[in-house]
Amino acid sequence: MLEAEGLGAAKVNYRLRDWLLSRQRFWGAPIPIVHCADCGEVPVPEDQLPVELPTDLRGEQLSPKGKSPLAGAEGWVNVTCPSCGGEATRDTDTMDTFVDSSWYYLRYVDPTNESEVFPSEQVNQWLPVDQYVGGVEHAILHLLYSRFFTKVLYDLGLVNFTEPFKALMNQGQVLNGGKAMSKSLGNGVNLGEQLDHYGVDAVRLTMVFASPPEDDVDWADVSPSGSAKFLARAWRLAQDVESAPGTDPAAGSQTLRAVTHRTIADVENLLEDQKFNVVVARIMELVNAARKEIDSGAGAADPAVREAAEVAAQILSLVAPYTAEDMWAMLGHQASVANSSWPAYDEALLVQDTITAVVQVKGKLRDKLEVPADISAEELEAQALALPKIQKYIEEDGGVRKVIVRAPKLVNVVTG
Ligand SMILES: [Zn+2]
């Protein structure tokens, strides 16, 4: 409309700037070009790629002196021209490091491939990357370059996708006392000491439990000793199970089974949503529920206790694999818990909250029943009329005249 009125025009506005490709530094990818007085710039033949940095430059020789440090490596610089065979020199500049870092995920598919940079068929099968995890410092330039490289490779017909990453998560930082850890502040945490003291499972569990992965963690607020205590609780649970491996859990405590199956169902969603800290909280609740069943419920021989302990080991293997493996072995299974199938949940056990509905006949309380809180009026009426006691009253009073239903709490049968 503005163009039609002569008041404005469409315009593409780039905010990007050219980025320097060649630099006079040692550390970088050599430029695969040979300079010949007769032939000009000649590409290094493919069978001589990649051009590697010389290995004989040391110390001061690596520092910039107004020209590239590579120029000092005469044995490396002086070559014969691939085109005419005459005297020639290698290019002594190096490419910026984004030339390496912008496509490494393609190389990961087949890292020992000697004949090509990557096999397109396998790369198309595995990529794009489903979930990219990286610090916020990589959020702008690295992602931009990676996208450029991918789009160029797409145009060259080497990959069949135009975006390298489907999803990105920037993980948080580990702070100490509200500040980033640094040598100058002296507030670093010695990870080696933590691992020696608490074990790798407890330290990892602490990190995962502390916050969602995209949030910062303050080491001053976390408790690796609490994690170690929880892992010991989980371990003792597996040790205390008295039923045999393979026991059918169907006859076990329905209360505990409901917790176990609700945990499996919820954890699947929590994992998809990357709420790993909540996953840990749910394992803790499951272990506590199973412990309660042993101590003041159906006891250690109840098959639902075994089911709960096995599921706890399987989910725990995601964050505390050593503890989980030991639990799995104590539960009588072959290694490894990581190779076991992900537990399946039974929809029928995912009961919602239930409520007690009262059933009256001619206004007098005659029976009660447990129903889901969201039961429909039709379903509640059907269940109430099917109760043996109620059927008896209906028969004695001369049949149903009218039924008043207030789901989910009340059914009143008017008889006669
Ligand atoms: Zn030449």
Side-chain angles (χ1 to χ4, degrees):
M1 284 171 64
L2 290 171
E3 277 181 344
E5 297 288 328
L7 296 171
K11 186 171 185 284
V12 177
N13 208 351
Y14 289 104
R15 299 184 66 188
L16 297 173
R17 300 281 180 273
D18 284 347
W19 189 264
L20 181 68
L21 178 80
S22 64
R23 317 204 295 180
Q24 292 75 54
R25 290 191 178 175
F26 177 78
W27 299 110
I31 294 171
I33 292 288
V34 165
H35 297 272
C36 171
D38 294 329
C39 310
E41 295 174 354
V42 182
V44 174
E46 211 165 309
D47 63 0
Q48 292 168 31
L49 295 179
V51 176
E52 293 184 358
L53 291 167
T55 53
D56 55 346
L57 291 183
R58 293 282 184 279
E60 174 57 23
Q61 293 173 296
L62 297 174
S63 66
K65 306 171 191 64
K67 56 177 185 173
S68 174
L70 284 178
E74 285 173 12
W76 182 85
V77 170
N78 296 316
V79 289
T80 54
C81 171
S83 179
C84 70
E87 285 183 9
T89 54
R90 288 191 189 281
D91 198 298
T92 55
D93 282 358
T94 52
M95 290 183 275
D96 196 352
T97 49
F98 71 77
V99 169
D100 294 320
S101 62
S102 303
W103 58 276
Y104 66 90
Y105 45 90
L106 301 168
R107 181 69 182 172
Y108 279 2
V109 170
D110 190 11
T112 57
N113 192 321
E114 293 283 342
S115 61
E116 57 191 340
V117 62
F118 58 78
S120 292
E121 195 182 324
Q122 288 174 45
V123 162
N124 288 335
Q125 186 188 335
W126 284 98
L127 273 73
V129 173
D130 294 296
Q131 177 64 59
Y132 197 33
V133 180
V136 71
E137 69 277 15
H138 298 132
I140 303 163
L141 290 180
H142 167 59
L143 292 180
L144 204 56
Y145 297 146
S146 297
R147 296 182 65 206
F148 283 163
F149 270 60
T150 304
K151 287 169 193 299
V152 168
L153 293 168
Y154 175 82
D155 288 346
L156 290 171
L158 294 172
V159 301
N160 68 0
F161 47 90
T162 59
E163 292 287 348
F165 314 119
K166 286 188 195 167
L168 167 71
M169 181 176 65
N170 291 136
Q171 85 276 21
Q173 265 189 303
V174 182
L175 311 174
N176 197 6
K179 296 196 172 80
M181 293 188 199
S182 72
K183 278 183 186 165
S184 57
L185 286 174
N187 65 342
V189 172
N190 185 328
L191 190 61
E193 284 174 10
Q194 299 284 320
L195 294 173
D196 286 346
H197 195 79
Y198 300 108
V200 64
D201 273 3
V203 172
R204 192 193 288 103
L205 188 88
T206 302
M207 301 287 290
V208 174
F209 188 43
S211 74
E214 62 271 31
D215 289 1
D216 290 344
V217 172
D218 197 322
W219 198 258
D221 298 337
V222 302
S223 170
S225 65
S227 298
K229 275 183 199 150
F230 163 68
L231 290 173
R233 265 174 85 76
W235 188 86
R236 282 196 303 273
L237 170 65
Q239 191 184 41
D240 290 352
V241 167
E242 287 176 5
S243 57
T247 305
D248 182 2
S253 158
Q254 293 301 295
T255 318
L256 181 55
R257 293 203 77 204
V259 175
T260 303
H261 286 255
R262 170 55 65 193
T263 303
I264 300 168
D266 288 353
V267 163
E268 285 185 13
N269 293 323
L270 292 165
L271 289 171
E272 291 291 334
D273 293 343
Q274 296 164 345
K275 292 179 178 153
F276 307 126
N277 56 321
V278 188
V279 169
V280 172
R282 299 306 302 274
I283 309 171
M284 290 174 171
E285 288 167 15
L286 177 60
V287 168
N288 288 344
R291 173 53 57 190
K292 195 177 159 199
E293 197 68 53
I294 293 176
D295 291 347
S296 56
D302 188 277
V305 171
R306 163 170 285 278
E307 183 181 45
E310 290 182 349
V311 168
Q314 287 173 304
I315 302 175
L316 194 60
S317 72
L318 302 175
V319 278
Y322 295 98
T323 307
E325 197 66 53
D326 216 19
M327 290 170 69
W328 198 240
M330 281 193 294
L331 289 163
H333 295 295
Q334 296 292 312
S336 161
V337 64
N339 291 336
S340 69
S341 300
W342 183 253
Y345 60 86
D346 182 349
E347 288 277 357
L349 288 165
L350 303 184
V351 284
Q352 302 104 331
D353 292 334
T354 59
I355 203 159
T356 306
V358 297
V359 184
Q360 300 172 334
V361 178
K362 285 202 284 188
K364 282 188 181 161
L365 174 64
R366 296 301 186 188
D367 207 350
K368 293 177 182 178
L369 74 168
E370 283 293 310
V371 294
D374 61 350
I375 192 167
S376 68
E378 292 75 20
E379 178 63 22
L380 180 59
E381 179 178 334
Q383 288 192 20
L385 294 178
L387 293 168
K389 268 192 197 174
I390 301 302
Q391 285 187 334
K392 190 168 136 276
Y393 282 109
I394 291 170
E395 207 173 299
E396 285 171 7
D397 291 355
V400 177
R401 186 144 59 87
K402 191 177 168 193
V403 183
I404 298 152
V405 183
R406 298 275 178 273
K409 288 184 174 167
L410 172 86
V411 178
N412 186 21
V413 184
V414 184
T415 50

